[in-house]
């Protein structure tokens, strides 16, 4: 809502002396300027001066004001459509050039309406007006820069200035902050109509720094461009810092020197940074990156500069001109970080939905395993891979292996031998009964008897080593041994001892 329901003072004079170089309203844009695209929708009377004079960008001249006829029994009004919708922080009611023809008092109302909203004969619209500035007395040939103690939280698209009862006003400035609708895709993040602001500049002696980000081109000297004073030095440079409408990824930068011919700088470069503060010069942790190299500038030309680091988000850019001169407009095209994050979240959600669809298809479809394959190979057959098309995306689905019934035999491959092993189902663990001392003695005696019987059986059945077993010799072998007694010495001599079996035979 507006400020009409507050019991505290609504406004204060931001510049009582009318000669301050900067004040509390200096950092805001004039939303009611023709340079921003504002226009007069309708006025009650324009007998001695057109209402279009209210929104001119330049300073007023003599007889350059909106002036109505005298003796109005009610009040005169003019409805202005703002150049951009936004919140309002203050007003400048300028009566310079009017000394006796100014209105006695002025009040201002605002509303949020469509761009093509109609105004009736009483100055009303389809939506209700909210009071932004109560009735204020004004004097001739002076500026009344009235700042609101609390900027409006509501957004406005139209304002209505009311003269009580009649008279004239040279200029009306409506200072505020642009609140523009987000656009998809690439946009000019350094344009005033999207919410950008010029934070600071090294010098703007001959042309306002705010002209850099105005929409379109202008031949009016007051809005033509940003122009610095002459330095007559080759190592000097001037700069201007622009806070982008929103942090974004820069894609291209344009520097426009039209219609300057001879006033343009020799060269220019662009730097960028990211800072949460309005003025990054006050941020000790802020670092400026060179995003556009130093480029030579020509007269009356639009220069397109290549952008580096276009995958890094930035919140501010700094235009540096060497050594001085005039720049008409600065454009910084890019994509909002918020939009990129929304696109990434949407892609992630689509990927999750596709994965869920693939899992659902894979859970309900599986390839059965035949008993012949299990018997031949000794292992469960591998499920077949199926390609399922879902829309424009193809999924490779591996069905789950069938579950085995409880208590059944399954084949398991050994890691070492790669031979199937029969795995028996689990058996209940046997519990050994407790034994008495008599049972233990009987079992010990039985074990000893079994051990001795086992040793006897093993001695009878196990083969005897060749080196320990006695060999039975025949008579022919003995005769051979006696006949070979005179053999060569190199041959070993056999023993002539007779076995027990032969001695018994001779006897």
């Amino acid at each position: 809502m507006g400020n009409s329901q507050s019991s505290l003072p609504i406004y204060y004079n931001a510049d009582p002396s009318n000669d301050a170089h900067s004040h509390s309203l200096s950092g805001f844009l004039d939303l009611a300027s023709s340079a921003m695209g504002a226009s007069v929708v309708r006025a009650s009377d324009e007998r001695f001066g057109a209402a279009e004079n209210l929104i001119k960008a330049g300073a007023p001249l003599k007889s350059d004001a909106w002036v109505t006829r005298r003796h109005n029994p009610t009040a005169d009004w003019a409805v202005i459509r703002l150049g951009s919708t936004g919140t309002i922080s203050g007003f400048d009611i300028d009566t310079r050039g009017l000394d006796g023809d100014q209105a006695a008092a002025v009040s201002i109302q605002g509303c949020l309406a469509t761009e093509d909203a109609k105004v009736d004969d009483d100055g009303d619209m389809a939506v209700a007006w909210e009071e932004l500035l109560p009735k204020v007395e004004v004097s001739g040939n002076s500026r009344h820069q009235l700042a609101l103690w609390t900027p409006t939280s509501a957004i406005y698209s139209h304002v209505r200035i009311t003269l009580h009862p009649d008279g004239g006003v040279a200029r009306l400035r409506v200072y505020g902050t642009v609140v523009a609708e987000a656009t998809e895709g690439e946009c000019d993040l350094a344009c005033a109509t999207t919410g950008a602001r010029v934070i600071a500049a090294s010098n703007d002696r001959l042309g306002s720094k705010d002209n850099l980000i105005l929409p379109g081109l202008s031949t009016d000297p007051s809005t033509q461009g940003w122009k610095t004073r002459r330095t007559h030095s080759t190592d000097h440079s001037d700069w201007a810092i622009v806070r982008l409408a929103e942090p974004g990824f820069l894609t291209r930068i344009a520097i426009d020197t039209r219609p300057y011919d001879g006033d343009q700088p020799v060269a220019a470069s662009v730097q960028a940074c990211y800072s949460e503060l309005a003025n990054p010069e006050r941020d000790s942790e802020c670092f400026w990156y060179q995003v556009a190299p130093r480029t030579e500038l020509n007269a009356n030309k639009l220069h397109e500069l290549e952008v580096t680091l276009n995958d890094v988000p930035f919140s501010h850019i700094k235009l540096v001109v060497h050594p001085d001169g005039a720049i008409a407009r600065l454009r910084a095209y890019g994509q909002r970080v918020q939009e990129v994050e929304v696109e990434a979240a949407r892609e992630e959600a689509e990927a999750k939905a596709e994965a869920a669809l693939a899992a659902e298809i894979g859970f309900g479809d599986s390839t059965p395993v035949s008993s012949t394959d299990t018997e031949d190979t000794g292992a469960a057959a591998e499920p077949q891979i199926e390609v399922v098309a879902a829309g424009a995306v193809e999924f490779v689905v591996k069905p789950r292996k069938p579950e085995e019934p409880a208590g059944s035999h399954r084949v398991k491959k050994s890691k070492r031998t790669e031979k199937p092993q029969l795995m028996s189902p689990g058996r209940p663990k046997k519990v050994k009964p407790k034994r008495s001392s008599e049972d233990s003695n009987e079992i010990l005696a039985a074990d000893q008897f079994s051990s001795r019987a086992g040793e006897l059986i093993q001695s009878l059945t196990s083969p005897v080593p060749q080196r320990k077993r006695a060999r039975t010799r025949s008579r022919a072998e003995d005769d051979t041994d006696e006949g070979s007694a005179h053999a060569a010495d190199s041959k070993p001599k056999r023993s002539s001892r007779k076995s027990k079996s032969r001695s018994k035979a001779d006897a």
Side-chain angles (χ1 to χ4, degrees):
M1 300 295 292
N3 297 277
S4 59
Q5 298 181 0
S6 175
S7 59
L8 299 175
I10 296 176
Y11 66 91
Y12 64 95
N13 195 339
D15 184 17
S17 61
N18 280 335
D19 59 358
H21 178 69
S22 63
H23 46 77
S24 58
L25 296 176
S26 299
F28 296 96
L29 291 173
D30 179 12
L31 303 180
S33 173
S34 58
M36 284 283 293
S39 61
V40 176
V41 180
R42 189 173 180 179
S44 62
D45 185 84
E46 297 175 286
R47 183 66 178 267
F48 300 107
E52 291 290 338
N53 294 328
L54 287 171
I55 61 175
K56 287 183 177 179
L61 303 174
K62 190 175 182 180
S63 301
D64 183 20
W66 171 49
V67 184
T68 66
R69 70 180 70 188
R70 298 171 184 257
H71 313 303
N72 189 347
T74 55
D76 285 319
W77 49 264
V79 177
I80 301 172
R81 181 178 62 83
L82 302 178
S84 296
T85 58
T87 59
I88 297 175
S89 300
F91 307 92
D92 180 7
I93 303 171
D94 195 345
T95 60
R96 287 179 295 178
L98 298 173
D99 191 2
D101 267 346
Q102 76 278 0
V106 173
S107 63
I108 299 176
Q109 301 81 37
C111 72
L112 179 62
T114 59
E115 187 175 351
D116 56 351
K118 303 298 182 181
V119 181
D120 60 17
D121 296 338
D122 297 328
D124 294 327
M125 304 178 71
V127 295
W129 292 100
E130 299 177 10
E131 186 178 70
L132 300 177
L133 184 69
K135 192 174 179 178
V136 178
E137 293 184 0
V138 295
S139 56
N141 200 26
S142 62
R143 300 178 66 179
H144 307 79
Q145 302 186 76
L146 308 177
L148 301 179
W149 280 107
T150 304
T152 66
S153 57
I155 300 173
Y156 298 94
S157 61
H158 294 72
V159 295
R160 182 179 68 181
I161 179 172
T162 304
L163 308 182
H164 303 276
D166 49 48
V169 172
R171 298 287 187 273
L172 174 64
R173 312 295 186 198
V174 180
Y175 296 109
T177 302
V178 174
V179 180
E181 295 182 358
T183 57
E184 295 184 359
E186 186 184 65
C187 65
D188 184 6
L189 298 176
C191 185
T193 56
T194 60
R197 286 176 55 187
V198 180
I199 301 301
S202 59
N203 181 268
D204 60 349
R205 181 71 176 270
L206 304 177
S208 174
K209 63 183 184 303
D210 295 327
N211 295 335
L212 272 175
I213 59 175
L214 291 177
L217 295 175
S218 175
T219 57
D220 187 344
S222 62
T223 58
Q224 196 170 27
W226 171 51
K227 192 174 183 180
T228 66
R229 62 183 177 182
R230 297 175 185 261
T231 58
H232 304 286
S233 175
T234 57
D235 57 353
H236 179 79
S237 62
D238 283 317
W239 50 265
I241 298 176
V242 178
R243 189 183 72 176
L244 302 178
E246 290 185 24
F249 299 91
L250 300 178
T251 56
R252 55 194 178 97
I253 292 177
I255 298 177
D256 201 342
T257 59
R258 296 173 296 177
Y260 294 114
D261 188 1
D263 270 341
Q264 77 279 0
V266 174
S269 59
V270 179
Q271 302 173 8
C273 73
Y274 187 92
S275 176
E276 295 182 356
L277 300 181
N279 190 351
E281 294 295 313
R282 300 174 181 176
D283 189 352
S284 59
E285 298 180 357
C286 178
F287 182 81
W288 291 97
Y289 297 89
Q290 188 87 6
V291 295
R294 177 167 175 165
T295 304
E296 183 178 353
L297 300 182
N298 298 321
N300 197 23
K301 182 180 179 181
L302 178 64
H303 303 78
E304 295 280 350
L305 277 64
E306 296 182 359
V307 176
T308 59
L309 299 177
N310 51 15
D311 57 345
V312 179
F314 295 108
S315 61
H316 297 73
I317 60 173
K318 178 191 285 187
L319 173 63
V320 182
V321 295
H322 312 276
D324 50 51
I327 300 292
R329 298 291 185 268
L330 172 65
R331 306 298 182 206
Y333 298 95
Q335 194 172 10
R336 291 179 170 90
V337 171
Q338 183 178 4
E339 182 180 356
V340 175
E341 292 176 350
V342 170
E343 291 180 359
R346 182 169 58 250
E347 292 177 357
E348 183 179 357
E350 292 177 356
K352 289 182 178 179
E354 294 171 357
L357 178 60
E360 182 179 356
I361 296 174
F363 178 79
D365 185 15
S366 60
T367 305
V369 181
S370 62
S371 58
T372 56
D373 295 340
T374 305
E375 293 176 359
D376 295 341
T377 61
E382 292 292 334
Q384 298 179 357
I385 297 176
E386 181 181 358
V387 179
V388 180
V393 183
E394 291 186 353
F395 304 96
V396 178
V397 181
K398 294 185 178 180
R400 294 184 178 180
K401 297 181 180 180
E403 296 182 358
E404 301 172 0
S408 62
H409 296 277
R410 62 187 181 92
V411 178
K412 179 179 179 181
K413 288 186 177 181
S414 175
K415 295 183 178 180
R416 295 183 179 180
T417 61
E418 299 296 334
K419 293 182 180 181
Q421 297 177 358
L422 187 61
M423 303 296 293
S424 60
R427 298 177 180 177
K429 187 177 181 181
K430 295 182 179 179
V431 180
K432 296 182 179 180
K434 296 182 178 180
R435 299 171 179 175
S436 60
S437 58
E438 297 179 358
D439 295 339
S440 300
N441 296 333
E442 294 178 359
I443 292 172
L444 179 60
D447 291 343
Q448 293 177 355
F449 174 78
S450 300
S451 176
R452 294 174 182 176
E455 292 178 359
L456 179 59
I457 294 171
Q458 184 178 4
S459 63
L460 295 176
T461 56
S462 60
V464 180
Q466 294 294 332
R467 65 178 182 272
K468 294 183 180 180
R469 185 176 181 181
R471 182 182 179 189
T472 305
R473 297 174 60 86
S474 64
R475 183 177 295 179
E477 291 178 352
D478 294 337
D479 296 338
T480 305
D481 291 340
E482 293 176 358
S484 58
H486 303 284
D489 297 337
S490 59
K491 293 182 180 182
K493 296 182 180 180
R494 294 183 180 270
S495 175
S496 59
R497 186 176 56 182
K498 297 180 180 180
S499 62
K500 295 181 180 179
S501 58
R502 184 177 178 182
S503 300
K504 290 180 181 180
D506 292 342

